[in-house]
Amino acid sequence: MFGSQKRQVFKPSVYETSKRRGRMPRWLVLLLLGVVLGAGGLLFLQTSYGPQRLTVLESQQLTNEVNSGNIERQRLQVQLEESQRTVETLKTENEKLAVTAAQAEKSVAPLKEELALFADAMPEDPRGGPLGVSAATFRRDAGQLRYHVLLLRNAGQGAPFKGQLAMAIEGRYPNGRTATVELDPVAVNLDRYEHLAGVAPLPEGFSARRATVRVLDAQTQRQHAMRILIVRD
């Protein structure tokens, strides 16, 4: 009872798990390692297979190109709108011209009928034939010769006649010498009738007295009509 008492020293059991302080849990290490590996893999994929990142200069160039494209698109849009307005204007003008042409055709129809009656009433060439010189006037005018020739062709002759009007002017010079002056030929495109009028120069001092009018074929120069007329003052 009075003997010395020794304090029992605590001894841990062999089955008790001791905790070591200062080490990270294994699961946290694995988690951090997975995060690092995932981030590295993602960075590798983006670098190797992902779209290339643009530099500041490239980004600026791309922006300028986009702005230029927008400006060009706006310019083309303005041109397109102007072209559309022009087309609409031309369409309206064409419609007006079509209406005007129809009205003119309607007003010309009676004139055509009157001209047809006029052609039927005009005297034929005294020489006869399907084509002839119906009438003509020749006048002297201060060294020039004014002429007006009316050609007639019978109806129902087919395609228009294409030829030439040849005029030979006989006259006299002040010294009494006679001569014949050939005028430049005049083109003829005759369907039913055709008026040919003009002024031709004459040689100085030449006094025209008589005109011989001939209608010639343009290709063969074969004569189809001829008439002699007096030149008047």
Side-chain angles (χ1 to χ4, degrees), residues 170-191:
E170 300 177 20
R172 187 185 302 273
Y173 286 97
N175 59 6
R177 182 173 64 90
T178 60
T180 300
V181 176
E182 298 283 345
L183 303 183
D184 293 335
V186 179
V188 173
N189 186 13
L190 178 60
D191 185 7

Side-chain angles (χ1 to χ4, degrees), residues 5 14 45 56 59 90 96 125 128 134 155 166 177 201 207 216 233:
Q5 296 181 354
V14 293
L45 291 175
V56 175
S59 298
L90 293 176
K96 293 180 179 179
D125 190 329
S134 176
R177 182 173 64 90
S207 178
L216 307 176
D233 292 330

Side-chain angles (χ1 to χ4, degrees), residues 83-154:
S83 299
Q84 290 176 344
R85 287 193 294 268
T86 302
V87 169
E88 291 297 329
T89 302
L90 293 176
K91 182 179 179 181
T92 302
E93 292 179 355
N94 288 336
E95 292 175 352
K96 293 180 179 179
L97 290 176
V99 173
T100 303
Q103 294 175 348
E105 182 67 22
K106 185 177 180 180
S107 62
V108 165
L111 296 178
K112 290 183 177 179
E113 294 178 359
E114 292 181 4
L115 289 175
L117 294 175
F118 161 78
D120 293 337
M122 289 298 297
E124 296 182 356
D125 190 329
R127 293 176 178 267
L131 187 155
V133 180
S134 176
T137 58
F138 289 85
R139 295 186 180 278
R140 292 183 291 268
D141 184 9
Q144 294 180 326
L145 180 68
R146 295 185 178 275
Y147 63 88
H148 185 184
V149 179
L150 173 62
L151 303 179
L152 283 181
R153 184 178 181 223
N154 293 344

Side-chain angles (χ1 to χ4, degrees), residues 23-36:
R23 295 186 60 183
M24 296 178 62
R26 185 177 181 182
W27 63 269
L28 183 57
V29 174
L30 295 176
L31 178 61
L32 294 176
L33 181 60
V35 171
V36 172

Side-chain angles (χ1 to χ4, degrees), residues 10-17:
F10 175 76
K11 294 182 179 181
S13 171
V14 293
Y15 299 102
E16 184 177 357
T17 302

Side-chain angles (χ1 to χ4, degrees), residues 157-224:
Q157 296 296 314
F161 170 80
K162 295 183 182 299
Q164 293 178 340
L165 181 69
M167 293 175 286
I169 311 301
E170 300 177 20
R172 187 185 302 273
Y173 286 97
N175 59 6
R177 182 173 64 90
T178 60
T180 300
V181 176
E182 298 283 345
L183 303 183
D184 293 335
V186 179
V188 173
N189 186 13
L190 178 60
D191 185 7
R192 182 70 175 89
Y193 63 90
E194 183 174 8
H195 289 271
L196 299 171
V199 179
L202 294 175
E204 185 177 356
F206 182 79
S207 178
R209 299 297 182 182
R210 189 170 63 175
T212 301
V213 180
R214 296 186 298 152
V215 180
L216 307 176
D217 186 273
Q219 299 295 330
T220 64
Q221 295 295 299
R222 184 171 71 90
Q223 179 175 297
H224 287 263

